[in-house]
Amino acid sequence: MRNAVFILFFFSSLPLAPLQAQLSAAFQEDDYSFNQGVDLYHESQYAAAMQKFEAVLERNPNTNKAADCAYYIANCAIRLDYMNADQMMEDFVENHPNSPKRNKAYLEVANYYFDQGKYPQSQKWYAKVKGDQLSRTERQQMIFNNSYNAFVAKRYDEAAKGFNQLITHQKYGNDAKYYLGYIAYQQDRYDEAGALFESGNTQRNQNTAYFEADMNFKQGNFEKAITKAQEQLPNSNPKERSQLNKIIGESYFNLEQYDQAIPYLKEYKGLRGKWNNTDYYQLGFAYYHQKDYPKAIAEFNKIIDNHVIVSYADCNGIITDVSKAFCLICGYEKSELIGKSHDVMLDSNETTLINELWKSISLDNQWNGEFKNRKKDGSPFWIDGSIAPYYSFKGERLGYIMVAKDISDRKIVEKLSITDALTNLYNRRFFDEIFQKKLSYAIREKNKFCLFMCDIDNFKNYNDMYGHQMGDKALITISEKLKEYFKRAGDFVFRVGGEEFAAILNIGNSDNIDSFIVKLLENIKDLNIEHKGNPPFGVLTISCGVVVADFAQISKPFSTDEIYKLVDDELYKAKQNGKNRISSFYVS
């Protein structure tokens, strides 16, 4: 009997060893995948990390690891700018009330949005953080960041309350003093502002009156800068007097009051006793605008050959002289230009502008503007020029003089700074800038304002099925279609994140925006780009949200955040109602 029991026990226990081994191997594999996901997350490879965490979560839905996976998945979604990513983080907190990462989740999302410059979103998440559960270092960082959020939003009293807690802090103290000083300046508490700037070592050691003038000048408040500097001039020492004359002179110069600028610009002694090319240029330019050409030429000649683009032409536009700087920028020798028309360098797209230029200067007016030219080798360059007639002592018109500066680098930087590298659409940074300007203009002029937003349906599935290279091609194709469709003067098209696009549209009273967008949807669907992960269509499609606000009928001045939320809600409705469709909202 004992042998029978032993045999039964032996055979009943045989499968346990391999089963335990299989379970152990599975747990080890999940641990390995989870740790891989964490490594990818910290290397900012969020899409790959997200896949790891989702796979582990699918195999372990009811374990302690599930909470950690959900935490990282939500964080990845936020960093990938997924729609409803914020809600995913809220779901993590709600579904895992015992997770030690709940408070950390709020903090990390807030810090991430802060680092991305998305200050309203950052402030929203900081409001959820329980400060008493943070370390001292984390709490101080949160106070500083959240104070800066308030500062950017011009909630200065709220910002000052936080910055004042950090005024003696080793890391944040100087910055806190700077922002407190700026707040004091904005609130006309100049003595306090000056003291804070000096104590924070963020401003030169100058008295408050000079600081007031300097700050006003830097902020573009030129009239106020002149007043403050003139008040201080009689009491200033020689060094301050030189700087104050410079502030007054440049302020008048920027206000185009050149006759007032000249005496102050002349009194400036220069940095360390020497003038630079800008100093000579400003004084010469002021003389030039006063038609005191001999003095203008005398100043320009000090820098003209190598630094100022100048050309002279007769009354028929034939070049009679150019500076070395002119030759350097265009690639021609002086001998190749003299006797030729400026048309030899003119870009073919600038014909209309040049006609306007000639119409202006032929009537003895001065023309100012930017235009594009072509170098000897055919490459483009941009100049910002001022062109005017010049005369003999008898008052006879001798020809025209152009004084210009090379703005090619600025144009390149401007384009790069506002352009999405993949699609060549405008980027999110430029969207934020244009959105504010266009909305403010529409409110002020009581015009219509239209914001369009779309994203590619089930684009994550597309990337997973066809690869990121094909995903990039799809983004480029959609971008080209949007540019082709939205091409009215005043239309702006942007890539605002991931697979999400926006457009600010110039629409009239008779425009039917809904039918216009429906045709866009049809055109994109008709591209027949295979997308098996986008049922029931089987091809690439987009969903769209549109908001139209007629400010001739609206008394409320909507903010950009309010308009953005409205269009985001419409896009969400289009997604929920089946995708490949438009959902619109008319505010009137």
Side-chain angles (χ1 to χ4, degrees):
M1 180 66 181
R2 287 196 335 220
N3 288 339
V5 171
F6 174 77
I7 291 169
L8 178 63
F9 174 77
F10 176 77
F11 281 106
S12 65
S13 63
L14 270 180
L16 290 178
L19 178 61
Q20 288 173 343
Q22 291 172 9
L23 289 172
S24 177
F27 285 133
Q28 288 176 1
E29 181 182 350
D30 286 339
D31 285 341
Y32 179 72
S33 294
F34 179 83
N35 291 333
Q36 273 190 317
V38 173
D39 291 339
L40 289 167
Y41 176 84
H42 289 302
E43 292 169 3
S44 301
Q45 297 184 42
Y46 301 118
M50 195 172 188
Q51 290 180 347
K52 293 288 184 183
F53 294 127
E54 286 174 338
V56 175
L57 179 61
E58 185 177 355
R59 293 191 296 268
N60 301 270
N62 300 311
T63 65
N64 292 334
K65 197 176 262 78
D68 290 341
C69 288
Y71 165 78
Y72 280 113
I73 289 169
N75 266 299
C76 289
I78 286 169
R79 283 152 176 79
L80 291 169
D81 205 17
Y82 279 15
M83 183 178 289
N84 298 326
D86 284 6
Q87 186 58 50
M88 291 173 68
M89 186 59 77
E90 293 283 14
D91 291 343
F92 157 72
V93 172
E94 182 178 347
N95 295 334
H96 302 281
N98 298 320
S99 172
K101 287 186 168 66
R102 293 177 77 238
N103 204 46
K104 183 181 178 182
Y106 289 144
L107 182 65
E108 286 201 359
V109 174
N111 287 341
Y112 172 76
Y113 279 136
F114 182 86
D115 292 339
Q116 297 299 306
K118 298 179 178 180
Y119 304 117
Q121 296 98 314
S122 173
Q123 191 275 332
K124 180 187 80 172
W125 285 89
Y126 277 130
K128 302 173 186 290
V129 177
K130 295 180 180 179
D132 58 354
Q133 295 181 11
L134 302 178
S135 69
R136 183 178 180 183
T137 300
E138 289 173 333
R139 186 164 58 253
Q140 289 167 337
Q141 181 187 18
M142 183 180 77
I143 291 170
F144 180 82
N145 290 359
N146 213 17
S147 299
Y148 187 80
N149 291 337
F151 175 82
V152 170
K154 296 186 178 180
R155 300 193 306 273
Y156 292 134
D157 290 342
E158 180 183 340
K161 183 178 178 181
F163 287 135
N164 273 313
Q165 296 181 51
L166 302 168
I167 201 165
T168 60
H169 192 276
Q170 183 176 0
K171 180 178 179 180
Y172 301 114
N174 280 340
D175 286 338
K177 290 173 186 176
Y178 174 81
Y179 294 121
L180 287 167
Y182 188 90
I183 291 168
Y185 162 75
Q186 288 291 337
Q187 296 175 345
D188 294 333
R189 293 180 283 114
Y190 294 119
D191 290 342
E192 181 181 345
L196 283 162
F197 273 97
E198 290 177 3
S199 66
N201 296 319
T202 56
Q203 185 74 0
R204 293 186 299 274
N205 185 21
Q206 298 166 338
N207 61 41
T208 304
Y210 171 75
F211 167 75
E212 294 168 13
D214 191 44
M215 283 293 292
N216 277 289
F217 174 79
K218 290 175 179 176
Q219 294 297 314
N221 302 321
F222 299 121
E223 292 93 345
K224 198 168 184 179
I226 291 167
T227 300
K228 293 294 181 182
Q230 286 177 333
E231 288 175 359
Q232 181 62 16
L233 262 179
N235 304 316
S236 59
N237 60 44
K239 182 178 179 181
E240 291 170 346
R241 191 176 304 118
S242 173
Q243 294 292 334
L244 289 166
N245 276 306
K246 181 67 168 174
I247 289 171
I248 297 168
E250 281 202 40
S251 295
Y252 278 127
F253 184 91
N254 288 324
L255 292 169
E256 299 182 1
Q257 298 176 23
Y258 301 110
D259 57 332
Q260 299 289 325
I262 288 171
Y264 292 101
L265 292 174
K266 289 170 63 178
E267 287 298 315
Y268 177 54
K269 303 305 179 185
L271 187 64
R272 292 186 292 275
K274 293 183 179 181
W275 276 31
N276 59 32
N277 292 330
T278 301
D279 303 328
Y280 291 120
Y281 173 78
Q282 287 178 337
L283 183 55
F285 201 74
Y287 280 131
Y288 167 77
H289 276 278
Q290 294 303 107
K291 302 186 186 302
D292 192 343
Y293 298 122
K295 288 184 178 178
I297 291 171
E299 295 301 324
F300 289 147
N301 279 341
K302 298 171 184 177
I303 53 173
I304 196 168
D305 279 343
N306 296 316
H307 299 286
V308 178
I309 300 165
V310 178
S311 71
Y312 297 87
D314 64 20
C315 293
N316 296 315
I318 302 303
I319 298 171
T320 58
D321 198 9
V322 294
S323 67
K324 287 183 181 178
F326 193 103
C327 295
L328 287 170
I329 190 176
C330 69
Y332 288 94
E333 297 293 334
K334 182 182 285 193
S335 60
E336 295 177 296
L337 293 173
I338 293 176
K340 303 285 181 62
S341 167
H342 279 90
D343 291 349
V344 70
M345 293 169 289
L346 182 63
D347 186 273
S348 59
N349 294 321
E350 299 285 25
T351 305
T352 302
L353 181 143
I354 297 302
N355 289 337
E356 293 175 359
L357 181 161
W358 271 106
K359 183 177 179 180
S360 177
I361 62 176
S362 297
L363 297 173
D364 287 338
N365 296 319
Q366 179 175 303
W367 182 90
N368 301 289
E370 300 175 355
F371 54 95
K372 187 179 182 182
N373 297 278
R374 292 284 168 181
K375 297 183 181 183
K376 185 178 179 179
D377 64 8
S379 59
F381 69 97
W382 283 85
I383 59 174
D384 182 357
S386 179
I387 304 173
Y390 71 97
Y391 305 86
S392 70
F393 290 110
K394 295 180 181 180
E396 299 171 339
R397 186 195 297 171
L398 298 177
Y400 304 97
I401 179 175
M402 179 186 75
V403 181
K405 58 182 177 180
D406 180 10
I407 58 170
S408 302
D409 288 344
R410 191 189 85 193
K411 288 291 184 180
I412 292 170
V413 171
E414 283 177 359
K415 185 176 180 182
L416 289 173
S417 68
I418 65 175
T419 304
D420 176 67
L422 176 65
T423 63
N424 277 326
L425 296 179
Y426 292 125
N427 61 18
R428 179 58 185 256
R429 175 179 175 272
F430 194 54
F431 168 75
D432 292 336
E433 179 182 335
I434 292 298
F435 189 6
Q436 182 64 66
K437 287 181 180 178
K438 288 289 188 179
L439 180 60
S440 297
Y441 180 81
I443 293 171
R444 184 172 65 252
E445 300 298 322
K446 299 189 181 302
N447 291 340
K448 281 189 174 182
F449 179 85
C450 178
L451 179 61
F452 163 91
M453 188 172 289
C454 72
D455 75 7
I456 301 174
D457 295 325
N458 293 309
F459 190 64
K460 181 180 181 300
N461 292 346
Y462 188 88
N463 272 333
D464 291 344
M465 296 180 72
Y466 301 97
H468 287 281
Q469 187 173 2
M470 292 299 295
D472 287 347
K473 288 183 179 180
L475 290 170
I476 292 169
T477 300
I478 298 301
S479 300
E480 290 172 348
K481 183 60 68 174
L482 292 174
K483 281 191 287 187
E484 175 188 321
Y485 225 71
F486 301 132
K487 57 184 179 182
R488 280 186 178 181
D491 287 352
F492 292 84
V493 187
F494 312 84
R495 182 187 180 199
V496 292
E499 69 273 26
E500 192 169 72
F501 302 89
I504 295 172
L505 305 178
N506 181 19
I507 63 171
N509 292 327
S510 61
D511 288 340
N512 188 333
I513 191 67
D514 284 35
S515 61
F516 184 69
I517 300 301
V518 167
K519 291 178 182 177
L520 171 65
L521 291 169
E522 293 171 352
N523 283 342
I524 288 176
K525 185 181 177 185
D526 289 345
L527 292 172
N528 286 318
I529 300 172
E530 180 184 291
H531 185 1
K532 294 180 180 178
N534 186 33
F537 310 107
V539 294
L540 205 70
T541 60
I542 64 171
S543 296
C544 309
V546 176
V547 168
V548 178
D550 186 353
F551 288 104
Q553 308 295 327
I554 305 170
S555 58
K556 176 185 176 182
F558 279 77
S559 68
T560 53
D561 286 345
E562 290 171 319
I563 295 290
Y564 191 91
K565 185 178 187 308
L566 288 174
V567 78
D568 195 47
D569 289 344
E570 294 306 311
L571 178 56
Y572 180 73
K573 289 177 187 176
K575 292 285 190 184
Q576 292 297 104
N577 291 332
K579 302 183 176 68
N580 187 37
R581 64 188 62 230
I582 175 179
S583 180
S584 58
F585 182 72
Y586 288 77
V587 187
S588 59

